[in-house]
Amino acid sequence: MNAITQPRPRPLRVAIAGLGAVGLRVAQALDAGIPGCELVAVAARDRPAAARRLQGLRYPVPVLDLGDLEPQADLVVECAPAALLARIATPVLRQGKKLMVLSAGALLTEPQLIDLARQHHAQIIVPTGALLGLDAVAAAAEGQIHSVRMVTRKPVKGLLGAPYLAEHGIDIATIAAPLRVFEGTARQAAVGFPANLNVAVALSLAGIGPDQTQLEIWADPALTLNTHSITVEADSARFTMTIENVPSENPKTGKITALSVIAALRKLAAPLRVGT
């Protein structure tokens, strides 16, 4: 008797919103091949420039306006400025689809997006990004976490232009020694440093929330790596973690951020999934 051949499942159609350092790296990985996923489109502000950046792909895809992205995809990866998150996310979530969000900080100022995902049985995925240990934090949150504290140290050019610095008249361009430029909660940091501290928001969402997660930010002219140190005290464990990230061509973003997105995409259809 011949065995019945099961039809192969259709690959997950993936679109990318934003084609900067992260978006391009993710597009290249999808083009090279991620099992169960297929790159179908990208969206970028400068469409001709984006088309030129994609010329090296084996399987070229169209460069669309943001508003035309959702119908093409089952999952949209957001790699755009935080101010565009609602515009990207709303049509995706209304159709009950998946959205991978790098601008996690914007979820705190656009909480209706989480409600929209719940209402339409959609899913918002926040990858680990430039952080580490979110599995441990999420596991500890199933018990009781007493405190989470994060200290971020960045090269000066990685913090230049942050709204918080402008609002408080903090000039870091010519500092000669490390300077603490912020101390507060993850929620406050997400507003004041929207391009820099998505990692803090991801940490807070995995743990005890943005109003209880404490954060320090330092500008350090001697650093070349983006450094995050996290200390967690919980009833199940006490742990400290430190990561030093190599910046991408965008000094505000580490190279590992794109790799984290790629790893998350691989997990979607993997026969073996390691980690919580």
Side-chain angles (χ1 to χ4, degrees):
M1 180 181 295
N2 293 330
I4 298 175
T5 302
Q6 295 292 331
R8 294 183 64 181
R10 179 174 62 84
L12 193 72
R13 298 173 302 160
V14 180
I16 300 173
L19 204 66
V22 174
L24 179 61
R25 181 68 183 84
V26 174
Q28 291 168 337
L30 283 162
D31 182 65
I34 294 178
C37 294
E38 175 188 12
L39 179 65
V40 294
V42 302
R45 180 177 54 187
D46 188 338
R47 293 174 63 184
R52 289 192 295 272
R53 300 191 82 187
L54 294 175
Q55 286 178 352
L57 297 187
R58 296 183 304 164
Y59 307 105
V61 297
V63 181
L64 307 176
D65 289 327
L66 285 177
D68 298 327
L69 210 55
E70 175 276 317
Q72 307 299 320
D74 304 306
L75 180 150
V76 173
V77 181
E78 176 270 317
C79 304
L84 295 176
L85 179 60
R87 182 180 167 193
I88 295 166
T90 300
V92 176
L93 301 177
R94 279 181 177 162
Q95 293 301 317
K97 296 181 177 180
K98 296 180 184 294
L99 177 75
M100 192 171 290
V101 171
L102 270 71
S103 300
L107 292 173
L108 303 185
T109 55
E110 303 281 358
Q112 77 280 2
L113 296 177
I114 300 173
D115 294 333
L116 195 63
R118 184 181 298 111
Q119 178 183 351
H120 294 280
H121 306 288
Q123 185 180 38
I124 299 172
I125 303 167
V126 179
T128 302
L131 211 53
L132 78 168
L134 288 192
D135 274 10
V137 176
E142 294 294 332
Q144 182 179 5
I145 295 178
H146 305 303
S147 65
V148 178
R149 186 169 190 86
M150 177 173 169
V151 178
T152 288
R153 299 178 184 273
K154 288 202 170 195
V156 170
K157 63 182 179 180
L159 290 169
L160 290 174
Y164 183 91
L165 301 182
E167 291 168 9
H168 291 81
I170 302 173
D171 183 7
I172 63 173
T174 59
I175 61 172
L179 176 67
R180 187 174 67 186
V181 297
F182 174 85
E183 183 173 17
T185 68
R187 185 184 299 276
Q188 293 166 334
V191 174
F193 300 85
N196 303 95
L197 270 303
N198 291 306
V199 289
V201 175
L203 174 67
S204 73
L205 294 175
I208 53 176
D211 297 311
Q212 283 72 48
T213 302
Q214 299 298 310
L215 183 67
E216 289 184 23
I217 304 173
W218 290 73
D220 189 336
L223 283 183
T224 58
L225 305 179
N226 300 322
T227 303
H228 307 293
S229 297
I230 302 158
T231 301
V232 178
E233 294 197 9
D235 60 354
S236 59
R238 297 179 182 177
F239 49 96
T240 299
M241 309 169 287
T242 298
I243 187 170
E244 297 178 328
N245 295 319
V246 177
S248 67
E249 64 185 60
N250 177 355
K252 296 178 173 62
T253 304
K255 285 185 176 181
I256 201 170
T257 301
L259 302 181
S260 173
V261 173
I262 294 166
L265 291 172
R266 289 193 192 281
K267 278 188 175 184
L268 295 177
L272 171 64
R273 177 170 176 167
V274 180
T276 301

